[in-house]
Structure formats: structure tokens, C-alpha cells
Amino acid sequence: MITRVLCLIVCSLLLVSGQDPQRPQYHVMPPSNWMNDPNGPMYFNGIYHLFYQYNPNAAYWGDMHWGHAVSKDLVHWQNLPPALYPDKPYDTGGVFSGSATIVNGAPILIYTGIGPVPSQCIAEPLNINDPLLLNWTKPPQNPVIPQSPPGLNLDGYRDPTTAWQSGDSYYIAVGAGISGTQGMALLYETNNFLNWTYLHPLYQSTNVSVSGDMWECPDFYPLGEQYVFKASTSNGDMWFVGDYNQSQMFSQINQGLYDYGKFYASKTFNDTRNDRRILWGWVAEMDSQDSANARGWAGLQCLPRELTLTPDNKVAANPIVELASLRTNYIPFGVVSVDSSGLVLNGISTGDQFEILIRVLSVDPGVTSFGLFVRQSPDFREQTAIFLMSALPPSNTDMPGLDYRGVAIETEDPEICQTLCYSDFMCRAWTYTPPGMEGPSAMCFLKGYPPALNPRQGCVSGRKGIVGIDRTNSSLATDADKSNQAAPLDDNPATLHVFVDHSIIEIFGNDGTSNIISRVYPTLPQSMGVSLFVEGQGQVLLSVDAWELGSIWSNSI
Ligand code: DQQ
């Protein structure tokens, strides 16, 4: 009650003044209230559609509808009324996530209805000639898959993929999981979208500690010469690159994360206009529910990202090139040399709404990290650091803390610990301790964030290259999450592409292979500064371009 009253006051004030300093201006989100997963993205009849999990009543999760936004260029958007809402016995508990498939020239939405049990349901356009596809109808055959396959003892069952065609049949996968055991995606076949046959798991987890025991929002698509399976897991949105064979089984050869930050429930679609694969993902808030209630909105979508397969079978995700149409002012900083005294980047007049692209030309060996401060106040009380670090070869030192796993190893060779770290996409740094120091046998500690070096006799430590964000001083607000985030770099630091949009920061490291989405909530109006910094001895040589960016919203596309 108190939060609703507070929201009424604060939200009205913000609406009257037209200003909400935390509200992003070039990220897709509803006019107000709660957004989560992207649903059913598609390109149809010259228009991009994005549906999404939406609570029309409040800035918290509940009463799931499918919100709807449309665009002609994937950059500028118009919000429309919700497309799907809970109105049938099989979806009164919510119209949960799902996908769109264009079949014989018309889209079919398939979603999870929450009724007495979760079921898979379809919806079709009421009027295929309506260019905006405002109204949708649910056929009487719903739910088309009334329940999960018997005998599997599933704890979760939801989020059907876009269908893919092979011969006369279409296939979908549905997310599922067995508590404490494994996540999985269940494969179904149909030839009419009304009658479905369960076949077998398309793919399932082999390691519950890596990918959790419930896979939400599965996705499956061809990319380059390979196939990609994606699951939203307890460790984030994991892609698996691999092979899809004649018997409809997937097997992986590589795995990683689209993004190491606040990114979840993502979904791709085939952009037939430009023959490419586009990714959307949900970015949640990282402050308190009270603050979200007071603002009157929560959640947004990441920038649309184009996916490509790298020669070594990684999925790279980069902002689509059309986002250049948002650039309103170019600030060419050119080639700059920076040392530990730093460099202020004057000239970006919208420090809460801009893009910066840094290319690393050279790094002196004594430099330990370098990067940029954004949302920086002149008195430095608020600032957020985005940084790059080169890999640190094994050295006789300790890196105490920040372990996500410690394993006993049978050998006294510290290189085994390094190999463990380098073969785990979650690992950023490692420390080896000899027998007798942390237990009877030698130990290997894997770290989720690079800790500071600390001398300690006998330890051996090393670090991967890192792109990271340090939010320790990002906000004076006590409820803002100030934990740090880092993504491992497989190669030397090369590029850092950053988008700042009020409370969201999107970081693309090394051409989209090491990405982090983060949220910051500066409180001071003057937290608009941008500057470069270097830690350690020596200089870095950087090429720097920046652009001020406009808004994506229009009343009609
Ligand atoms: N969100 C939806 C579910 C999905 C979850 C409900 C993932 O369908 O599993 O809002 O964020």
C-alpha cells in the first residue's frame, strides 16, 4: 500500500516534469510497469514484432500478458496494446513465454499457458491483413500439448521454441527440468501445429553444477556451418555450438555465455530482411523492488544484437549496425596515449546517453588494467569503472577469495590448475596451493572475478584476460547493487564497445565475444563525466570514438 501511494506521488511528479533520470531512452521497454522475457520476435510483412512478458498492473512480476512493440528498422519502436492476455481456463495463471513461427505465410504464436497444469498453446492473427497484427485468437483445439510427457517426473515444463522444418515435419523444443538432477529441452514433432508427438530430449545437461536443473527459454537455430542450442540456466544464458544429426539429436563441441552480466531468457529470430540471426534478452533491475515501484517501471530489453560464429566456434553478439542511425553527434577523440594520470574525455554532452568505441593499439607491460569511467561526478563520489586486463601468466603469488569452486587435484603441477581454469568458461582466475596448505592434497581454486594479488609462499596463481565493471562507487543509493562483474577474454584486450543509456550499461568486449550488461543508478545530476584511466606503470595507446545518441520512440512507425 505504502509503495503504491509512493509510486502515485513520485510517478506523477516524474510524468509532470517529464524526467526520470534512470529511465533508458534507446532500449525497448513498455511505457510503464513490468517487463521480462522477450517472446515471439519476428519479421513479418515488412515489420519487426517484439512481444514480451508483461504485467500491465504493476512494476513487479505477475499476471503475465504478452506486451507488443513494432518497428520498421529494428531501431525505432512503437508500443502497442498487449497481444495476448490470460482469458482461458488453460492460461488464467498467465500467458508465459513462447515463440513465433511463420508457417505458409502466416505467423503462429506458441506459448505456455498456466492453468491447472502448464500446457503449450497456440494463437493466430485475427486479421492477417492488419499490418500491425493487433489482435490474436486462440483456437478451440488449445491447449495443443495439454501436459508434459508422462513418466518424466518433471518439475518445470515451459517456453516452446520457434519451430524448424525438416521434410514434411515441424519441430519444437520445450524447456524442462528434474529437480536436483538436470535441465533438458524436450523435442516435439508436428505437421499441422495442432497434433504434436513427443520424441525425446533434444539436449540435456551433463553437469548440473554448470547449467542447473531447469532449462528455461530454450532456443535452437543454425549459425554459420553449425547449430546453436541455447538454454537459460542457473549460470545465465548458455549457448552450445554443435551438431544436429539425422536422428534429431544435438551434440555440443563448445559452450559459453552470450553475456556475463544481467541477461536472461533471451530469444533469437531469423531476420529474413537481412539474412541474419538477431538476439533479444531481458535485462532486470539491480536495485530494490521499492525503487522500481516508485519509478513505476521495471525491466527492459538489451539492444538488438547480431549473432555470428567465430572461426573457433564461439557465438559472438554485437549491436546491430543500424543502431548508428541513433547517433546525433560524433566526438572523434582520435588516438590518445593514457598513463596513470588519466585523461578526461570532454565533449560528450549527454553523459547518460552515448556510445563509445575504444580500439586498443598498444599496452605497456607494466600496465595492470585500463579502461574508462562513466557516470562520473566531478567530485568522484559517483563513478563506474569499465576495464580491461591482460592475461597474467602463472606467478608465485596468491589471489585470495572470490572462489566459485575449489577442487583437490592429484598432481603437484600448478599447470593442471591453469588448464582447469582455461577449459571452464566461468573461470576468470585461479590459484594453486600445494599439499598441506589448504588440505592434505594440492588444491585448485577457480575464481569468478579477478582478486587482487597477494604474496604467499607456495601459491601459484594466474589470470585470464578480463573485461570487467567495477560498480563499487556507481551510486550513493544504498539499495543499488554494487557488486562487480567480469567476463573472461580468450585473447589480448582488443576492443571495448560501450553503450550508456541512463541506468543501463552494455559492454561488448573483443568484438562481442566477452559481453556484460550491467545496471547503475547514479543519484547526482552531475554524474555525467567520462574519462580514461590506467593502473600500473606505463602507457596505453587507444583509438577512441564517441557518439551522443537519441531516442528510439515514435508514436507511429
Ligand atoms: N519467465 C516466464 C517463463 C520463463 C521465465 C514467466 C523466465 O515462461 O520460464 O514470466 O524468465
Side-chain angles (χ1 to χ4, degrees), residues 88 90 108-109 111 121-125 136-144 193-194:
K88 303 285 183 203
Y90 52 80
I108 298 180
L109 307 180
Y111 67 92
C121 313
I122 64 174
E124 293 164 310
W136 295 77
T137 175
K138 300 170 185 173
Q141 291 90 340
N142 265 345
V144 292
F193 281 76
L194 298 174

Side-chain angles (χ1 to χ4, degrees), residues 243-258:
D243 185 44
Y244 179 55
N245 63 21
Q246 293 296 326
S247 48
Q248 276 87 31
M249 301 285 274
F250 175 78
S251 57
Q252 66 129 324
I253 53 174
N254 202 3
Q255 65 184 32
L257 294 179
Y258 288 140

Side-chain angles (χ1 to χ4, degrees), residues 233-529:
T233 78
S234 53
N235 272 320
D237 275 26
M238 286 182 71
W239 53 255
F240 302 85
V241 168
D243 185 44
Y244 179 55
N245 63 21
Q246 293 296 326
S247 48
Q248 276 87 31
M249 301 285 274
F250 175 78
S251 57
Q252 66 129 324
I253 53 174
N254 202 3
Q255 65 184 32
L257 294 179
Y258 288 140
D259 195 291
Y260 289 78
K262 195 73 181 168
F263 182 86
Y264 194 69
S266 62
K267 189 172 291 292
T268 64
F269 74 102
N270 180 13
D271 177 10
T272 47
R273 186 171 75 134
N274 294 301
D275 190 24
R276 60 187 175 173
R277 182 59 55 176
I278 302 293
L279 172 75
W280 290 105
W282 166 41
V283 188
E285 300 305 313
M286 298 184 85
D287 62 354
S288 64
Q289 185 61 53
D290 280 352
S291 288
N293 293 344
R295 284 193 293 268
W297 56 269
L300 59 146
Q301 297 298 314
C302 71
L303 292 172
R305 300 172 173 197
E306 179 176 350
L307 299 183
T308 49
L309 193 68
T310 66
D312 55 347
N313 287 322
K314 282 185 288 201
V315 179
N318 282 291
I320 57 168
V321 290
E322 297 97 307
L323 288 166
S325 68
L326 286 175
R327 294 170 178 169
T328 52
N329 188 25
Y330 174 43
I331 307 108
F333 292 104
V335 174
V336 296
S337 164
V338 193
D339 62 17
S340 59
S341 47
L343 182 71
V344 176
L345 294 179
N346 285 314
I348 303 172
S349 64
T350 52
D352 53 0
Q353 210 171 308
F354 72 99
E355 167 192 359
I356 188 163
L357 176 60
I358 297 177
R359 292 186 180 85
V360 182
L361 304 179
S362 69
V363 184
D364 283 353
V367 168
T368 49
S369 79
F370 62 98
L372 77 157
F373 285 114
V374 298
R375 305 303 318 259
Q376 185 175 43
S377 63
D379 59 7
F380 311 119
R381 279 193 298 154
E382 287 185 333
Q383 58 183 9
T384 296
I386 299 163
F387 61 87
L388 290 162
M389 284 174 163
S390 303
L392 193 69
S395 63
N396 291 103
T397 184
D398 190 10
M399 285 192 195
L402 302 170
D403 308 332
Y404 67 89
R405 191 178 308 145
V407 286
I409 51 176
E410 295 307 318
T411 139
E412 290 183 36
D413 180 1
E415 264 192 39
I416 297 297
C417 190
Q418 182 182 32
T419 307
L420 276 179
C421 180
Y422 273 75
S423 62
D424 182 348
F425 70 93
M426 300 284 292
C427 187
R428 282 74 163 175
W430 56 274
T431 291
Y432 161 90
T433 56
M437 187 180 269
E438 297 286 347
S441 43
M443 294 289 294
C444 176
F445 298 96
L446 305 181
K447 322 235 159 213
Y449 189 82
L453 298 178
N454 205 346
R456 189 173 172 210
Q457 201 72 35
C459 299
V460 182
S461 295
R463 191 185 67 214
K464 289 182 183 172
I466 297 289
V467 53
I469 178 164
D470 183 335
R471 297 184 298 168
T472 314
N473 298 311
S474 58
S475 174
L476 296 178
T478 51
D479 66 340
D481 185 336
K482 298 183 187 128
S483 61
N484 299 329
Q485 297 156 294
L489 290 174
D490 285 346
D491 304 304
N492 287 330
T495 60
L496 187 62
H497 197 178
V498 176
F499 290 79
V500 174
D501 188 8
H502 298 260
S503 57
I504 177 166
I505 298 179
E506 295 203 39
I507 303 168
F508 299 87
N510 279 11
D511 296 317
T513 52
S514 298
N515 301 334
I516 306 174
I517 281 199
S518 193
R519 305 299 305 271
V520 294
Y521 302 89
T523 60
L524 305 170
Q526 61 272 31
S527 292
M528 294 288 174

Side-chain angles (χ1 to χ4, degrees), residues 36-37 53 61 64 96-97 158-159 216-217 264-265 282:
N36 56 299
D37 317 354
Q53 291 286 280
W61 187 89
M64 283 292 112
F96 274 23
S97 284
R158 54 185 177 270
D159 309 338
E216 297 185 307
C217 304
Y264 194 69
W282 166 41

